[in-house]
């Protein structure tokens, strides 16, 4: 048996193993252009639309997993984002925001994989849960700040509510607790390795969404 697998906390293992994919997602051309203020609010709106499809899959899947011995401990209502995303989309697209709303091909593939894991592989679902929600609590705050400054959204108001976790008073403490859940996950070493691989896949799926968005919003020289 690999000695490091028993010594290294799983939360550390999953973070370090997926670092390369995480960096690739964070440094995508689309996200760089968006955060650099080089794209308009229409690009931000389209990005928010794509998030809605992914989180709808995540949170519809969560309902069936509340009592699951593996994924259940991770299903925490204070993390849920769909309602906030819908408020943001109503602000960005108007009250009939659902009309004409379509996922990009990469988004559809991402959401389908989340749904598949939720239905057939609870441990795999954790990988998607982790990559999304812990990312929102961390780097997501940078996006919120940039969006407020670039497009004039009210601070923590409509348009950026997705990034505001009103029920989490201490994000640092919450993230510590989440990592403790990862360390205590009900899975053997082989299953943990599979979760790590799914985490890498989750980042790759996210990067593909950025790629699709980059094709829709190419930066004109």
């Amino acid at each position: 048996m690999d000695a490091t697998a028993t010594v290294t906390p799983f939360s550390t293992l999953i973070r370090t193993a997926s670092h390369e994919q995480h960096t690739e997602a964070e440094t995508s051309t689309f996200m760089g252009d968006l955060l650099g203020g080089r794209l308009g609010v229409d690009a931000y709106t389209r990005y928010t639309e794509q998030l809605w499809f992914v989180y709808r899959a995540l949170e519809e899947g969560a309902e069936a997993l509340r009592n699951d011995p593996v994924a259940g401990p991770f299903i925490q209502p204070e993390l849920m984002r769909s309602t906030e995303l819908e408020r943001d989309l109503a602000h960005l697209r108007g009250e009939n925001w659902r009309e004409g709303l379509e996922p990009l091909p990469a988004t559809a593939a991402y959401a389908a994989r989340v749904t598949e894991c939720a239905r057939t592989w609870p441990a795999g679902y954790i990988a998607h849960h982790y990559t999304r929600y812990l990312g929102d609590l961390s780097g997501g705050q940078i996006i919120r700040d940039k969006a407020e400054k670039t497009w004039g959204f009210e601070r923590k108001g409509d348009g950026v509510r997705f990034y505001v976790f009103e029920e989490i008073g201490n994000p640092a403490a919450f993230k510590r607790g989440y990592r403790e859940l990862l360390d205590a996950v009900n899975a053997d070493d082989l299953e943990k390795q599979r979760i790590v691989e799914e985490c890498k896949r989750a980042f790759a799926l996210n990067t593909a969404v950025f790629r699709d968005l980059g094709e829709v919003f190419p930066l004109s020289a």
Side-chain angles (χ1 to χ4, degrees):
M1 183 185 287
D2 180 2
T4 57
T6 57
V7 174
T8 307
F10 184 52
S11 58
T12 303
L13 201 67
I14 199 169
R15 187 179 75 248
T16 54
S18 60
H19 178 74
E20 187 179 331
Q21 288 80 5
H22 191 178
T23 302
E24 186 181 355
E26 281 188 333
T27 56
S28 72
T29 303
F30 172 80
M31 191 50 75
D33 289 340
L34 191 71
L35 296 182
R38 295 183 290 274
L39 293 171
V41 72
D42 53 337
Y44 175 79
T45 299
R46 196 68 181 275
Y47 172 56
T48 306
E49 291 170 11
Q50 304 314 302
L51 289 174
W52 180 74
F53 288 104
V54 174
Y55 282 82
R56 188 175 61 164
L58 267 171
E59 293 173 8
E60 285 177 352
E63 290 304 315
L65 292 171
R66 286 190 187 282
N67 298 316
D68 182 85
V70 178
F74 294 86
I75 309 302
Q76 301 176 68
E78 58 267 44
L79 286 172
M80 300 298 178
R81 299 286 87 201
S82 291
T83 301
E84 282 74 18
L85 276 167
E86 291 175 7
R87 286 184 68 177
D88 285 342
L89 287 171
H91 180 73
L92 293 163
R93 297 184 99 242
E95 60 182 38
N96 298 322
W97 60 268
R98 288 175 191 262
E99 287 181 12
L101 201 64
E102 290 287 340
L104 292 164
T107 306
Y110 189 176
R113 180 59 183 168
V114 171
T115 298
E116 182 184 2
C117 287
R119 288 178 178 166
T120 65
W121 183 29
Y125 174 87
I126 291 170
H128 292 279
H129 194 277
Y130 161 76
T131 57
R132 290 291 357 158
Y133 292 111
L134 245 62
D136 300 331
L137 278 166
S138 303
Q141 301 314 303
I142 298 167
I143 300 174
R144 176 182 63 78
D145 182 61
K146 291 283 188 181
E148 289 167 357
K149 289 175 180 172
T150 305
W151 300 295
F153 297 121
E154 182 184 336
R155 187 171 184 275
K156 296 188 177 183
D158 290 340
V160 294
R161 292 189 183 278
F162 166 72
Y163 302 101
V164 182
F165 291 79
E166 290 188 336
E167 294 178 45
I168 297 178
N170 186 335
F174 186 91
K175 285 186 279 189
R176 273 197 304 275
Y178 192 102
R179 292 187 188 104
E180 288 168 6
L181 287 178
L182 284 172
D183 293 339
V185 70
N186 186 7
D188 61 21
D189 284 350
L190 186 62
E191 185 73 335
K192 285 178 180 177
Q193 190 54 46
R194 290 182 69 214
I195 295 171
V196 168
E197 291 305 314
E198 189 64 24
C199 183
K200 292 179 182 179
R201 183 173 181 172
F203 280 120
L205 287 163
N206 191 44
T207 301
V209 173
F210 290 150
R211 202 173 297 122
D212 273 12
L213 283 163
E215 289 174 9
V216 176
F217 296 98
L219 195 60
S220 54

